[in-house]
Coordinates of all heavy atoms in Angstrom, one line a residue:
D514 N -6.3 -5.0 -7.1 CA -5.3 -5.6 -6.3 C -5.8 -6.9 -5.7 O -6.7 -6.9 -4.9 CB -4.9 -4.6 -5.1 CG -3.6 -5.1 -4.4 OD1 -3.4 -6.3 -4.4 OD2 -2.9 -4.3 -3.8
F515 N -5.3 -8.0 -6.2 CA -5.8 -9.3 -5.8 C -5.6 -9.5 -4.3 O -6.4 -10.3 -3.7 CB -5.0 -10.4 -6.5 CG -5.6 -11.8 -6.3 CD1 -6.8 -12.1 -6.8 CD2 -4.8 -12.7 -5.6 CE1 -7.3 -13.4 -6.6 CE2 -5.3 -14.0 -5.4 CZ -6.6 -14.3 -5.9
S516 N -4.7 -8.9 -3.6 CA -4.5 -9.1 -2.2 C -5.8 -8.7 -1.4 O -6.0 -9.3 -0.3 CB -3.3 -8.3 -1.7 OG -3.5 -6.9 -1.8
Y517 N -6.5 -7.7 -1.9 CA -7.7 -7.4 -1.2 C -8.8 -8.4 -1.3 O -9.7 -8.5 -0.5 CB -8.3 -6.0 -1.8 CG -7.4 -4.8 -1.3 CD1 -6.4 -4.4 -2.1 CD2 -7.7 -4.2 -0.2 CE1 -5.6 -3.3 -1.7 CE2 -7.0 -3.1 0.3 CZ -5.9 -2.7 -0.5 OH -5.1 -1.6 -0.1
E518 N -8.7 -9.3 -2.3 CA -9.7 -10.4 -2.4 C -9.3 -11.6 -1.6 O -10.1 -12.5 -1.4 CB -9.8 -10.8 -3.9 CG -10.0 -9.7 -4.9 CD -11.4 -9.0 -4.7 OE1 -12.3 -9.6 -4.1 OE2 -11.5 -7.8 -5.1
M519 N -8.1 -11.5 -1.1 CA -7.6 -12.7 -0.3 C -7.8 -12.5 1.2 O -7.3 -13.3 2.0 CB -6.1 -12.9 -0.6 CG -5.9 -13.3 -2.1 SD -6.6 -14.8 -2.5 CE -5.6 -16.0 -1.6
T520 N -8.3 -11.4 1.6 CA -8.5 -11.1 3.0 C -9.7 -11.9 3.6 O -10.8 -11.3 3.9 CB -8.6 -9.6 3.3 OG1 -9.7 -9.1 2.4 CG2 -7.4 -8.9 3.0
T521 N -9.6 -13.2 3.6 CA -10.7 -14.0 4.0 C -11.2 -13.9 5.4 O -12.3 -14.2 5.7 CB -10.4 -15.5 3.7 OG1 -9.2 -15.8 4.5 CG2 -10.1 -15.8 2.3
M522 N -10.3 -13.3 6.3 CA -10.7 -13.1 7.7 C -11.7 -12.0 7.8 O -12.4 -11.8 8.8 CB -9.5 -12.9 8.5 CG -8.6 -14.1 8.6 SD -7.1 -13.8 9.6 CE -7.9 -13.6 11.2
L523 N -11.8 -11.1 6.8 CA -12.7 -10.0 6.8 C -14.0 -10.3 6.2 O -14.2 -11.2 5.4 CB -12.1 -8.8 6.1 CG -10.7 -8.3 6.6 CD1 -10.2 -7.2 5.7 CD2 -10.8 -7.8 8.0
S524 N -15.0 -9.6 6.7 CA -16.4 -9.8 6.1 C -16.4 -9.2 4.7 O -15.6 -8.4 4.3 CB -17.4 -9.1 7.0 OG -17.3 -7.7 7.0
V525 N -17.5 -9.5 4.0 CA -17.7 -8.9 2.7 C -17.8 -7.3 2.8 O -17.2 -6.6 2.0 CB -19.0 -9.4 2.0 CG1 -19.3 -8.7 0.8 CG2 -18.9 -10.9 1.8
D526 N -18.5 -6.8 3.8 CA -18.6 -5.4 4.0 C -17.2 -4.8 4.3 O -16.9 -3.7 3.8 CB -19.5 -5.1 5.1 CG -21.0 -5.3 4.7 OD1 -21.2 -5.5 3.5 OD2 -21.8 -5.4 5.6
E527 N -16.4 -5.4 5.1 CA -15.1 -4.9 5.4 C -14.2 -4.9 4.2 O -13.4 -3.9 4.0 CB -14.5 -5.7 6.5 CG -15.1 -5.5 7.9 CD -14.6 -6.5 8.9 OE1 -14.3 -7.7 8.6 OE2 -14.5 -6.1 10.1
R528 N -14.2 -5.9 3.4 CA -13.4 -5.9 2.1 C -13.9 -4.8 1.2 O -13.1 -4.2 0.5 CB -13.5 -7.3 1.4 CG -12.8 -8.4 2.1 CD -12.5 -9.6 1.2 NE -13.7 -10.2 0.7 CZ -14.3 -11.2 1.4 NH1 -13.8 -11.7 2.6 NH2 -15.4 -11.8 0.9
E529 N -15.2 -4.6 1.1 CA -15.7 -3.6 0.2 C -15.3 -2.2 0.7 O -14.9 -1.3 -0.1 CB -17.2 -3.6 0.2 CG -17.9 -2.5 -0.6 CD -17.4 -2.5 -2.1 OE1 -17.1 -3.6 -2.6 OE2 -17.3 -1.4 -2.6
T530 N -15.2 -2.0 2.0 CA -14.7 -0.8 2.6 C -13.3 -0.5 2.3 O -12.9 0.6 1.9 CB -14.9 -0.8 4.1 OG1 -16.3 -0.9 4.5 CG2 -14.4 0.5 4.8
M531 N -12.5 -1.6 2.3 CA -11.1 -1.5 2.0 C -10.9 -1.1 0.5 O -10.1 -0.2 0.2 CB -10.3 -2.8 2.3 CG -10.2 -3.1 3.8 SD -9.4 -4.7 4.1 CE -7.8 -4.4 3.4
R532 N -11.7 -1.8 -0.4 CA -11.6 -1.5 -1.8 C -12.0 0.0 -2.1 O -11.3 0.7 -2.9 CB -12.5 -2.5 -2.6 CG -11.9 -3.9 -2.7 CD -12.6 -4.6 -3.8 NE -14.0 -4.9 -3.4 CZ -14.5 -6.0 -2.8 NH1 -13.6 -6.9 -2.5 NH2 -15.7 -6.1 -2.5
Q533 N -13.1 0.4 -1.4 CA -13.5 1.8 -1.6 C -12.5 2.8 -1.2 O -12.3 3.9 -1.8 CB -14.9 2.0 -0.9 CG -15.5 3.3 -1.3 CD -15.8 3.4 -2.7 OE1 -16.4 2.5 -3.4 NE2 -15.4 4.6 -3.3
A534 N -11.8 2.5 -0.1 CA -10.7 3.4 0.4 C -9.6 3.5 -0.7 O -9.1 4.6 -0.9 CB -10.1 2.8 1.7
V535 N -9.3 2.4 -1.3 CA -8.3 2.5 -2.4 C -8.8 3.3 -3.6 O -8.1 4.1 -4.1 CB -7.9 1.1 -2.9 CG1 -6.9 1.1 -4.0 CG2 -7.3 0.3 -1.7
V536 N -10.0 3.1 -3.9 CA -10.7 3.8 -5.1 C -10.7 5.3 -4.7 O -10.3 6.2 -5.6 CB -12.1 3.3 -5.3 CG1 -12.8 4.3 -6.3 CG2 -12.1 1.9 -5.9
D537 N -11.0 5.7 -3.5 CA -11.1 7.1 -3.1 C -9.7 7.7 -3.1 O -9.5 8.8 -3.6 CB -11.6 7.2 -1.7 CG -13.1 6.8 -1.6 OD1 -13.8 6.8 -2.7 OD2 -13.6 6.6 -0.5
D538 N -8.7 6.9 -2.7 CA -7.3 7.4 -2.7 C -6.8 7.7 -4.2 O -6.2 8.7 -4.5 CB -6.4 6.4 -2.1 CG -4.9 6.9 -2.1 OD1 -4.6 7.8 -1.4 OD2 -4.1 6.3 -2.9
R539 N -7.1 6.8 -5.1 CA -6.7 6.9 -6.5 C -7.5 8.0 -7.1 O -7.0 8.7 -8.0 CB -6.9 5.6 -7.2 CG -6.0 4.5 -6.8 CD -4.6 4.7 -7.4 NE -3.8 5.6 -6.7 CZ -2.6 6.0 -7.2 NH1 -2.2 5.7 -8.4 NH2 -1.9 6.9 -6.4
T540 N -8.8 8.2 -6.7 CA -9.6 9.3 -7.3 C -9.0 10.7 -6.9 O -8.9 11.6 -7.7 CB -11.0 9.2 -6.8 OG1 -11.6 7.9 -7.2 CG2 -11.9 10.3 -7.4
E541 N -8.5 10.7 -5.7 CA -7.9 12.0 -5.2 C -6.6 12.3 -6.0 O -6.4 13.4 -6.4 CB -7.6 11.9 -3.7 CG -7.0 13.2 -3.1 CD -6.7 13.0 -1.6 OE1 -7.2 12.1 -1.0 OE2 -6.0 13.9 -1.1
W542 N -5.8 11.2 -6.2 CA -4.6 11.3 -7.0 C -4.9 11.8 -8.4 O -4.3 12.7 -9.0 CB -3.9 10.0 -7.0 CG -2.7 10.0 -8.0 CD1 -1.5 10.4 -7.8 CD2 -2.8 9.4 -9.4 NE1 -0.7 10.2 -9.0 CE2 -1.5 9.6 -9.9 CE3 -3.8 8.8 -10.1 CZ2 -1.2 9.2 -11.2 CZ3 -3.4 8.4 -11.4 CH2 -2.2 8.6 -12.0
L543 N -5.9 11.2 -9.0 CA -6.3 11.5 -10.4 C -6.8 12.9 -10.5 O -6.5 13.7 -11.5 CB -7.4 10.5 -10.9 CG -7.9 10.7 -12.3 CD1 -6.7 10.8 -13.3 CD2 -8.9 9.6 -12.7
T544 N -7.6 13.4 -9.5 CA -8.1 14.7 -9.5 C -7.0 15.7 -9.5 O -7.0 16.8 -10.2 CB -9.1 14.9 -8.4 OG1 -10.2 14.0 -8.5 CG2 -9.7 16.3 -8.4
E545 N -6.0 15.5 -8.6 CA -4.9 16.4 -8.5 C -4.1 16.4 -9.8 O -3.6 17.4 -10.3 CB -4.0 15.9 -7.4 CG -4.6 16.1 -6.0 CD -3.7 15.6 -4.9 OE1 -2.6 15.1 -5.2 OE2 -4.1 15.8 -3.7
L546 N -3.9 15.2 -10.4 CA -3.2 15.1 -11.7 C -3.9 16.0 -12.8 O -3.2 16.7 -13.5 CB -3.1 13.6 -12.1 CG -2.3 13.4 -13.4 CD1 -1.5 12.0 -13.3 CD2 -3.2 13.3 -14.6
L547 N -5.2 15.9 -12.8 CA -5.9 16.6 -13.8 C -5.7 18.1 -13.6 O -5.6 18.9 -14.6 CB -7.4 16.3 -13.8 CG -7.7 14.8 -14.2 CD1 -9.2 14.6 -14.1 CD2 -7.3 14.6 -15.7
S548 N -5.8 18.6 -12.4 CA -5.7 20.0 -12.1 C -4.3 20.5 -12.4 O -4.1 21.7 -12.8 CB -5.9 20.2 -10.6 OG -5.0 19.6 -9.8
E549 N -3.3 19.6 -12.4 CA -1.9 20.0 -12.7 C -1.6 20.0 -14.2 O -0.9 20.9 -14.7 CB -0.9 19.1 -12.0 CG -0.9 19.1 -10.5 CD -0.1 18.0 -9.9 OE1 0.4 17.1 -10.7 OE2 0.0 18.0 -8.6
Q550 N -2.3 19.1 -14.9 CA -1.9 19.0 -16.3 C -2.9 19.6 -17.3 O -2.6 19.6 -18.5 CB -1.8 17.5 -16.6 CG -0.7 16.8 -15.9 CD -0.3 15.5 -16.4 OE1 -0.6 15.1 -17.5 NE2 0.5 14.7 -15.6
I551 N -4.0 20.1 -16.8 CA -5.0 20.8 -17.7 C -5.1 22.2 -17.4 O -5.5 22.6 -16.3 CB -6.4 20.1 -17.6 CG1 -6.3 18.6 -18.1 CG2 -7.4 20.9 -18.5 CD1 -7.5 17.9 -18.1
D552 N -4.6 23.1 -18.3 CA -4.5 24.5 -18.0 C -5.8 25.2 -18.4 O -6.1 26.3 -17.9 CB -3.4 25.1 -18.8 CG -2.0 24.5 -18.3 OD1 -1.9 24.2 -17.1 OD2 -1.1 24.4 -19.2
D553 N -6.6 24.7 -19.3 CA -7.8 25.4 -19.8 C -9.0 25.1 -19.0 O -9.5 24.0 -19.0 CB -8.0 24.9 -21.3 CG -9.1 25.7 -22.0 OD1 -9.8 26.5 -21.3 OD2 -9.3 25.5 -23.2
P554 N -9.4 26.0 -18.2 CA -10.6 25.8 -17.3 C -11.9 25.6 -18.1 O -12.9 25.2 -17.5 CB -10.6 27.1 -16.5 CG -10.0 28.1 -17.3 CD -8.9 27.4 -18.1
S555 N -11.9 25.9 -19.4 CA -13.2 25.8 -20.1 C -13.4 24.3 -20.5 O -14.5 24.0 -21.0 CB -13.1 26.7 -21.4 OG -12.1 26.2 -22.3

């Protein structure tokens, strides 16, 4: 998301924290999607 790169008022660490929060959110969504769509536990 390019908007996260445009937050010039934030420090590098703060921007990285924001990006990681988005990654974590999408990871949670993906994990739930996999649990719903894959029936074979093996």
Side-chain angles (χ1 to χ4, degrees):
D514 188 334
F515 187 67
S516 64
Y517 286 89
E518 308 297 337
M519 298 297 291
T520 52
T521 54
M522 295 180 62
L523 300 176
S524 68
V525 173
D526 289 343
E527 288 172 324
R528 287 200 297 273
E529 177 57 34
T530 299
M531 292 177 65
R532 286 194 293 267
Q533 189 58 49
V535 178
V536 170
D537 292 343
D538 177 73
R539 293 281 82 190
T540 302
E541 182 178 348
W542 170 82
L543 179 54
T544 302
E545 291 178 0
L546 182 144
L547 294 175
S548 66
E549 293 170 358
Q550 298 195 14
I551 297 180
D552 299 326
D553 187 351
S555 67

